[in-house]
Amino acid sequence: MFENIRIIRKFDPAAKSYLEIILCYPGLHAIWLHKIAHFLYWAKLPLFPRLINYLTRFLTGIDIHPGAKIANGVFIDHGSGVVIGETAEIGSGSLIFQGVTLGGTGKESGKRHPTIGKNCVIGAGAKVLGNIVIEDHVRVGAGSVVMRNVPQGSTVVGIPGKVVKAGDSGDSIEQMLDHNQMPDPVAKVFSVLLEKVETQQHLINKLAEKQRLLEKDKSSETSFGQTPTYDGKNDKFVQEFIYGDGI
């Protein structure tokens, strides 16, 4: 219980006091109520765990199935729209933002929801689906859809989620909250393709220049046609598309 309060104080610069955290943080209330529902669920008491789950969703906007296993020290920030399935597991020190879904992918029984390791960050609106393992110190970018296992220390972005950074197991506050450092794999691919196109265009322009030097009179130009060259007028537009305009 107190570990959840401590982790909020650690991660949220908006938290001014412990009293404010206790009274005004729906993610904390949802986890506390879930602890009760989870105990009753494993005690096999019918109906009451789901009633507590329903009440929690009504009060906080966070839907946590009573069967989900949530370690101490998990912070659900803002919380609205968070859905956590029955067989999901979340390790201590993890940070979950609004709109996150830890869901299943079908009607199979048994373990069908993801396992989140320790000190992970699941960005706003991310969907982690199926019986997969997100290992320790993983960052999932906002809006990503993850359906495969993710190794320790990785950063995952995109739809479907792709590992764009691996092997970083740091769990400092700066690293966990520094969302603007998420790499963009699509922009990287476009950048590589643009570099290849520019190289080819340079070679084509050189060949065109050689052809013009070899042409002896206007009749030969008429015969072969004037070779067009790229004027580069749209370079600025391409750069803005790849890297963002004014960002």
Side-chain angles (χ1 to χ4, degrees):
M1 179 182 293
F2 296 105
E3 181 66 16
N4 295 107
I5 299 174
R6 188 192 67 79
I7 207 75
I8 292 173
R9 184 70 168 173
K10 175 183 177 182
F11 282 134
D12 192 357
K16 305 304 181 185
S17 67
Y18 289 108
L19 181 61
E20 179 181 316
I21 292 171
I22 293 171
L23 295 178
C24 303
Y25 276 70
L28 179 65
H29 302 154
I31 289 176
W32 282 354
L33 289 169
H34 170 73
K35 296 292 185 183
I36 300 172
H38 185 69
F39 174 79
L40 297 177
Y41 177 85
W42 287 107
K44 301 190 183 300
L45 188 67
L47 186 60
F48 285 100
R50 293 309 299 267
L51 286 175
I52 296 173
N53 165 230
Y54 185 81
L55 176 64
T56 302
R57 184 173 58 184
F58 176 77
L59 294 175
T60 66
I62 300 170
D63 186 359
I64 307 175
H65 192 282
K69 297 178 181 179
I70 301 178
N72 291 326
V74 171
F75 178 22
I76 301 177
D77 196 7
H78 300 292
S80 181
V82 169
V83 178
I84 300 175
E86 180 182 16
T87 60
E89 300 178 24
I90 306 174
S92 62
S94 292
L95 177 58
I96 296 175
F97 285 91
Q98 68 274 12
V100 166
T101 298
L102 306 182
T105 56
K107 295 183 178 180
E108 68 273 12
S109 58
K111 185 75 167 75
R112 60 190 184 279
H113 298 96
T115 297
I116 310 297
K118 298 178 181 179
N119 302 309
C120 294
V121 178
I122 314 297
K127 314 300 177 187
V128 186
L129 305 175
N131 181 20
I132 61 176
V133 177
I134 309 299
E135 296 188 11
D136 300 346
H137 309 286
V138 166
R139 293 196 303 169
V140 178
S144 301
V145 178
V146 183
M147 294 179 289
R148 294 182 179 178
N149 295 336
V150 180
Q152 180 174 332
S154 300
T155 298
V156 181
V157 298
I159 303 175
K162 296 179 177 62
V163 175
V164 294
K165 185 178 180 182
D168 183 7
S169 60
D171 59 348
S172 67
I173 297 176
E174 290 77 13
Q175 287 176 299
M176 294 186 72
L177 298 180
D178 206 0
H179 297 272
N180 64 319
Q181 297 300 321
M182 291 288 186
D184 187 346
V186 176
K188 185 175 181 180
V189 169
F190 271 109
S191 180
V192 172
L193 292 176
L194 178 62
E195 185 178 349
K196 290 179 179 291
V197 169
E198 288 176 343
T199 301
Q200 292 175 349
Q201 188 64 53
H202 179 69
L203 294 174
I204 291 172
N205 289 342
K206 288 180 67 176
L207 291 173
E209 184 62 26
K210 287 182 179 180
Q211 178 181 326
R212 281 193 292 271
L213 293 174
L214 292 173
E215 291 172 346
K216 295 181 178 180
D217 50 42
K218 292 183 179 181
S219 62
S220 62
E221 285 188 12
T222 306
S223 175
F224 290 101
Q226 185 68 29
T227 304
T229 59
Y230 180 64
D231 58 11
K233 290 182 178 179
N234 292 321
D235 282 351
K236 186 173 183 289
F237 172 78
V238 173
Q239 293 294 332
E240 289 176 354
F241 176 80
I242 294 174
Y243 299 109
D245 182 13
I247 297 176

